[in-house]
Amino acid sequence: MVSADPIWHPSPNFGARRDGLQPHLIVLHYTAMESAEAALQRLCDPAFEVSAHYLIGGDGRLWQMVAEDHRAWHAGQGEWSGLSDINSRSIGIELDNRGDHPFSEPQMRVLETLMAQIMTRWTIPATGVIGHSDMAPGRKWDPGPRFDWQRLATLGLARPNGQPLAAPAATPEALRKAAQACGFTAEVDDATLLQAVRLRYRPWARGPLCGEDVAPLLS
């Protein structure tokens, strides 16, 4: 893995973690902006009231804007594993990417190193690494269909796809039960839930619900 020594670029957009909470999640985002510099400016502008703990440029540059023990404003409204206020429970990492092109190799290598460090510091398991779209289905799409979740899973940095012994039932009820067990507990309709699950596990899948949509959620 490569070095992950961040450039300190403080944002005024942060606060204390509420109710004594400590991070047990990492939330991954893409910036959806034209450059890392533009994203950095936005994340540090008090007028926009958004921030993240880290930003990784496409060239592998790494900035830290908020100390890990503070609450950055990156997740917004959403829910994971029945819990709200994800900002108080997580560390947010922004990736310089518009959402319509692959994530670069330098960026991914820095991300992997940074994540391993964060997960060790805060004892965050692989199951605690989620995308913005996981906790805010229908509202957010990032890190999007081009993000390589399987690469992280292979390194133990994200939940691997399940490998059920038998073909699972392809019903909305089966999908919801399996998705909720993995953490997808936000109240959304069946179509939005399927969309969120596919973004994470089968980003290029199309058409009606099938057993392959449920399978990755099963241990």
Side-chain angles (χ1 to χ4, degrees):
M1 291 186 178
V2 299
S3 173
D5 296 323
I7 301 164
W8 178 243
H9 194 287
S11 172
N13 303 332
F14 71 94
R17 294 186 182 273
R18 296 169 180 166
D19 302 320
L21 293 169
Q22 292 188 338
H24 63 88
L25 299 170
I26 295 174
V27 182
L28 301 180
H29 308 258
Y30 61 50
T31 59
M33 299 187 72
E34 288 303 314
S35 69
E37 289 76 14
L40 187 63
Q41 181 177 2
R42 175 71 59 89
L43 293 164
C44 295
D45 188 336
F48 287 96
E49 298 186 338
V50 294
S51 63
H53 293 90
Y54 296 97
L55 167 67
I56 306 176
D59 59 3
R61 284 178 295 169
L62 171 64
W63 293 271
Q64 183 173 5
M65 293 155 287
V66 176
E68 290 182 4
D69 59 344
H70 286 124
R71 180 181 185 271
W73 305 341
H74 61 96
Q77 184 177 0
E79 180 180 304
W80 186 253
S81 292
L83 301 172
S84 59
D85 190 10
I86 302 302
N87 282 335
S88 287
R89 307 174 190 276
S90 66
I91 290 173
I93 302 176
E94 290 276 358
L95 300 169
D96 172 31
N97 189 287
R98 296 186 307 274
D100 59 0
H101 59 93
F103 293 78
S104 73
E105 182 62 23
Q107 185 178 55
M108 290 298 295
R109 292 177 67 190
V110 169
L111 174 65
E112 290 158 2
T113 301
L114 176 63
M115 286 178 59
Q117 294 173 349
I118 294 170
M119 292 166 78
T120 298
R121 276 194 291 271
W122 296 99
T123 319
I124 297 175
T127 52
V129 178
I130 64 174
H132 203 184
S133 58
D134 294 338
M135 48 82 51
R139 186 175 71 83
K140 293 295 181 179
W141 296 83
D142 50 317
R146 295 182 179 274
F147 186 74
D148 192 349
W149 283 104
Q150 187 56 48
R151 172 172 171 160
L152 294 189
T154 299
L155 295 172
L157 300 174
R159 180 188 180 277
N161 289 11
Q163 301 291 333
L165 296 177
T171 64
E173 294 76 19
L175 177 68
R176 187 168 296 274
K177 180 179 179 180
Q180 288 179 341
C182 288
F184 292 85
T185 56
E187 293 186 10
V188 293
D189 59 39
D190 292 341
T192 303
L193 178 61
L194 175 59
Q195 186 179 67
V197 169
R198 282 181 171 175
L199 267 175
R200 175 66 183 265
Y201 294 105
R202 302 185 67 227
W204 305 114
R206 298 293 184 271
L209 171 67
C210 63
E212 285 79 6
D213 295 313
V214 182
L217 301 167
L218 302 175
S219 301

